[in-house]
Amino acid sequence: LADEVFASGSGIADEEIRRVLTAKVSKANKWELKKQLEASTVAIRRLKDTLNQLHKGKNKFLAGAVEAERTARAGWARALHKAKELDDDRTALKKFAKKVEAE
């Protein structure tokens, strides 16, 4: 999963981030500096977009996990309630059976 999320071209690969962080300003003409600035701006924008998508995905996953846990807890509560009802019925039936045997 990490290979897919942080793959090259995703905007958040190690090499891409390292290239943005370690970019050196050369003493070139204005045209070269402008090209470097535009390339860095594109890389940063792609990084920001990718991180936003990753954040949205995390939030969606978290909401799904919370909902799944809520559903599981409700299911367990229903199962425990039904088990208690069945145990109460079994206890009442045992008492009734003992009463019938005694007569």
Side-chain angles (χ1 to χ4, degrees):
L1 179 63
D3 289 340
E4 290 178 25
V5 172
F6 300 105
S8 266
S10 66
I12 55 175
D14 286 345
E15 312 89 51
E16 293 168 325
I17 294 172
R18 193 172 296 117
R19 188 173 52 239
V20 169
L21 293 176
T22 61
K24 304 269 189 233
V25 176
S26 65
K27 296 191 180 203
N29 59 24
K30 286 184 180 182
W31 175 251
E32 290 295 321
L33 292 175
K34 188 173 181 178
K35 281 176 52 178
Q36 287 179 353
L37 182 62
E38 286 176 9
S40 294
T41 302
V42 167
I44 290 171
R45 189 175 299 128
R46 188 173 52 227
L47 174 63
K48 182 181 174 185
D49 291 343
T50 304
L51 288 174
N52 282 333
Q53 289 174 352
L54 190 59
H55 186 260
K56 286 177 186 176
K58 182 212 52 129
N59 286 342
K60 188 175 180 180
F61 172 78
L62 186 61
V66 167
E67 185 60 33
E69 184 176 355
R70 189 176 295 134
T71 301
R73 286 179 184 263
W76 275 106
R78 284 192 307 272
L80 289 173
H81 181 70
K82 186 66 175 176
K84 183 176 178 347
E85 286 178 355
L86 291 173
D87 190 48
D88 292 345
D89 289 348
R90 185 177 72 73
T91 303
L93 185 60
K94 282 174 74 176
K95 285 181 183 177
F96 179 72
K98 282 185 182 180
K99 184 178 176 183
V100 168
E101 282 180 9
E103 292 177 356

